[in-house]
Amino acid sequence: MPNVVLVGTQWGDEGKGKVVDVLTPQVQAVVRFQGGNNAGHTLVVDGDKIVLHLLPSGVLHPDCVCVIGNGVVVDPEVLREELRSLAARGRDLQAHELVVSPHAHVIMPYHLALDRLREASLGNNRIGTTCRGIGPCYEDKVARRGVTVAHLLDPAQLRAHLEVVLPWKNQEIVQWHGGDPFEVDELVAAYVEHGVALAPYVRSSTSVLHRVQRQGGSVLFEGAQGTFLDVDHGTYPHVTSSNTVAGAACAGSGVGPTAIDEVVGIAKAYTTRVGSGVFPTELDGATAEHLQRVGAEFGATTGRPRRCGWFDAALVRHAVRVNGVTRLALTKLDVLSGLDEIPICVSYEGVDDDDFPTSLATAVPVYTSMPGWSEDISGCRRMAELPEACVAYIRRIEALVGVKVELVSVGPEREATIRMGDLFTRDGYPRAVGH
Ligand code: IMP
């Protein structure tokens, strides 16, 4: 198995968790390299649902090391709660099974307060953040006034740091927003306690990943959010505060570009987005509601309904280039069953296929319409079992974005997957034919 980075090619919620789940049994380490508990994926353990926001999905595989890289922002309360809920279900993560980078930044309670207060004060201009303190935490990281996981292990340093930083934070919270101030003593007591609990897991992600690869093991780098939420390449300012693209896997976990062999892009068979921001193929009315209802398009983290629209090939084609995608996984294709015709955005008016608009705000989609299919495809396990119109839809997407689709998800269950190519067909699942 090669070393693989897995990224979303749209605005997040592409169904990455399921593809991670398919690949995890073949790897020795799964790494989160950016974002924090703004992400969310649901795991089903013995029929019991657990929603994880921070821990990599590899936690259910005892032979797999889970790594929270330096590029992640960690809310210790959330991390400990996820560890507790796994332990309560019989999965008690041992020190050698979880690595938390000492350089990861810590989401402090004042980051949460600021995220909420700022969003509330922005009214119609709000970003629509998940209010998990992600932006304010990254902001402090770059401003060199953040708290790192290493600080939690050193009470004197944590106190000295907070004595400098907290007055600034309190000034914004109290004077600008009329909120309640935070106290150094209370924060030190609570976060030193978190440090004691997390200490067994804190070690260099670089060393651990290097060892895994030196011993011939493979690593899966699990991206969160999606390409167009990237702070540099996304629809700024309506983006998250980290680099979500494949290139960030290196900086966010401490490995070099030569440690990566493949980039898997995940694309939903239509498009969704939560929060504010441009969305060229957005729908409203009955079709949007249909996709929302059939696709259960409600955020795993915030429960907010997701905005829905047609597949945007111009968008995904750009994501393929930004990330260097080598293989594509197409998810939620079953949601499109029952539509008479399915428009695809093939390009934007006046923009060459090998170019991308400077701003999506003025992009006008050019559509082509594909025939729909009425059959329920959720039981299909091979391409040959899919209706002809469905195969034509997949082939058109491949031609438009320039990468082969090697995995198609046709339902929420683990087995509801059509797998093709060598990467996805290694661990004994029914091998697809006819691709
Ligand atoms: P933040 O990451 O909480 O600061 O939110 C910034 C933007 O990214 C908002 O539009 C969020 O809705 C969006 N966002 C953050 N995480 C996710 C995710 O996991 N899926 C989809 N959208 C997300």
Side-chain angles (χ1 to χ4, degrees), residues 109-126:
Y110 49 80
H111 292 135
L112 289 162
L114 283 168
D115 204 355
R116 288 193 196 111
L117 291 165
R118 287 179 188 170
E119 281 286 277
S121 73
L122 283 170
N124 285 342
N125 292 323
R126 66 182 177 275

Side-chain angles (χ1 to χ4, degrees), residues 11-13 16 37-40 115 127-136 224-226 229 237-241 273-277 301-302 304 306:
W11 278 287
D13 308 315
K16 293 179 287 291
N37 57 310
N38 46 351
D115 204 355
I127 305 290
T129 75
T130 58
C131 289
R132 299 297 190 266
I134 308 294
Q225 290 86 46
L229 288 173
H238 297 106
V239 291
T240 191
S241 303
R273 142 159 238 185
V274 271
S276 321
T301 298
T302 57
R304 290 180 290 177
R306 297 178 186 142

